[in-house]
């Protein structure tokens, strides 16, 4: 077999579909977010980032930078191994305590990423429950889907955010079978929100566990940043709350929270936790600083929501096709992968604005879009520049603009 030819065919197929991805080579400027430098064509170009998952700009938080620097000098830059093999620095214990408090749970467990925490926990929980049946939202993240698949148990996919369909599936399942309902709070491509309380009602009615991914909500909703479950007053009803340090908290890593017994069972059996080097001390220290800061400063969440609402209105007033979103996610509809890529290229090359294209398989074919994520640090002036640039690009590509 000509292996290179096969690999080339895969790449060419993606390119022919208009889905070939080119990563923007960026140098973020500490203390000057959302400004950055883009390296392309052998030159440096100033850009403004409008698509970062660093939703509050906490990657630039001076307290976190100082904490990371101090930790590197105190602990060194490496973790030393897995949690079982000398990798449990005291900072990790402190961080897990902070995360448990964030969600009002008994315990927390850190993973190297949110992807790993979902994949490892969902698959491990289901395997520990003989005869378990998983009920998964149709729009769940790839990491959750992988966890469901790796579990090897029976699964049913319910229509997105549809309690009636979920109840039909639950009612048809054996009454005494263990059940696990897995869903997200904020869905990051459309910006819609799950009916958490209703799902908890169904879980209680049919004897199911609930697994909630709060990745795109932690730090951003609730009085202390516990997510949509805190905002809606239902965190105590959710059995497992999963989150990330890589978005509102500005660093990297994933985690789960729950009862001490459940978390201990995952700690002792999940291969995705046991067999990987843990996050480094500087990252853990920065995360502790940012979690504490974000929990204590609700004004960040208020400003963040105001910025998102303001941008949605400005884009709508300009006739640009803002997709409905009840959260901080601001999707702008394009509907074609080639045009979506062309739009982002024009924004970057002609206007110094970076927004990555969102194409299949991240979203269904025909729903390609730009996904804009304003932060508290995006000013009115930057919004003016963005609207002007988008209007220019839309006209150049002959995309639809409302009158």
């Amino acid at each position: 077999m000509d292996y290179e030819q096969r690999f080339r065919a895969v790449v060419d197929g993606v390119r022919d579909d208009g889905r070939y991805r080119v990563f923007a080579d960026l140098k973020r400027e500490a203390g000057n977010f959302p400004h950055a430098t883009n390296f392309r064509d052998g030159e440096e170009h100033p850009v403004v980032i409008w698509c970062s998952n660093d939703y509050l700009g906490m990657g630039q938080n001076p307290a976190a930078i100082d904490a990371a620097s101090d930790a590197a000098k105190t602990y060194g830059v490496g973790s030393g191994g897995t949690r079982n093999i000398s990798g449990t620095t005291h900072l990790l214990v402190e961080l897990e305590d902070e995360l448990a408090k964030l969600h009002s749970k008994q315990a927390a467990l850190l993973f190297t990423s949110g992807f790993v925490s979902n994949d490892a926990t969902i698959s491990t929980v289901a395997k520990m429950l003989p005869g378990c049946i998983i009920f998964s939202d149709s729009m769940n993240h790839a990491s959750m889907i992988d966890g469901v698949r790796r579990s090897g148990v029976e699964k049913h996919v319910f229509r997105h955010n549809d309690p009636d369909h979920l109840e039909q599936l639950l009612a048809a399942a054996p009454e005494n079978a263990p059940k696990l309902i897995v869903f997200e709070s904020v869905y990051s491509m459309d910006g819609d929100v799950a009916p958490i309380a209703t799902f908890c009602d169904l879980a209680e009615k049919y004897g199911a566990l609930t697994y909630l991914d709060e990745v795109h909500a932690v730090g951003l909703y609730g009085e202390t940043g516990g997510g949509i479950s805190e905002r809606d007053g239902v965190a105590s009803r959710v059995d497992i709350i999963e989150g990330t340090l890589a978005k509102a908290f500005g660093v990297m890593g994933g985690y789960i929270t729950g009862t001490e017994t459940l978390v201990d069972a995952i700690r002792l059996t999940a291969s995705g936790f046991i067999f990987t080097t843990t996050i480094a001390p500087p990252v853990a220290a920065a995360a502790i600083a940012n979690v504490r800061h974000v929990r204590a400063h609700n004004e960040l969440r208020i400003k963040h929501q105001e910025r998102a609402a303001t941008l949605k209105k400005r884009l709508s007033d300009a006739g640009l096709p803002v997709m409905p979103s009840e959260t901080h996610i601001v999707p702008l509809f394009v509907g074609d992968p080639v045009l979506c890529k062309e739009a982002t290229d024009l924004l970057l090359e002609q206007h110094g604005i970076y927004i990555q294209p969102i194409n299949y398989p991240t979203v269904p074919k025909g729903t390609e879009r730009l996904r804009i994520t304003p932060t508290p640090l995006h000013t009115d002036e930057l919004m003016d520049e963005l609207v002007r640039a988008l209007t220019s690009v839309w006209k150049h590509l002959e995309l639809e603009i409302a009158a």
Side-chain angles (χ1 to χ4, degrees), residues 116-172:
V116 175
S117 57
N118 272 335
D119 183 14
T121 305
I122 291 171
S123 61
T124 302
V125 167
K127 288 176 182 176
M128 287 191 291
L129 302 171
C132 183
I133 304 171
I134 294 180
F135 300 83
S136 178
D137 189 286
S138 63
M139 294 299 288
N140 276 342
H141 189 265
S143 58
M144 304 174 79
I145 294 171
D146 278 4
V148 172
R149 286 174 177 163
R150 283 210 312 119
S151 73
V153 307
E154 180 182 342
K155 70 176 186 296
H156 297 280
V157 178
F158 60 90
R159 288 188 294 269
H160 178 51
N161 281 348
D162 188 337
D164 292 336
H165 189 215
L166 174 58
E167 181 161 24
Q168 291 173 19
L169 296 173
L170 287 166

Side-chain angles (χ1 to χ4, degrees), residues 318 320 346 387-402:
L320 292 161
L346 287 170
V387 172
R388 283 194 294 267
L390 286 168
T391 301
S392 173
V393 166
W394 247 245
K395 289 179 179 178
H396 179 82
L397 296 177
E398 298 182 345
L399 295 168
E400 184 174 349
I401 296 180

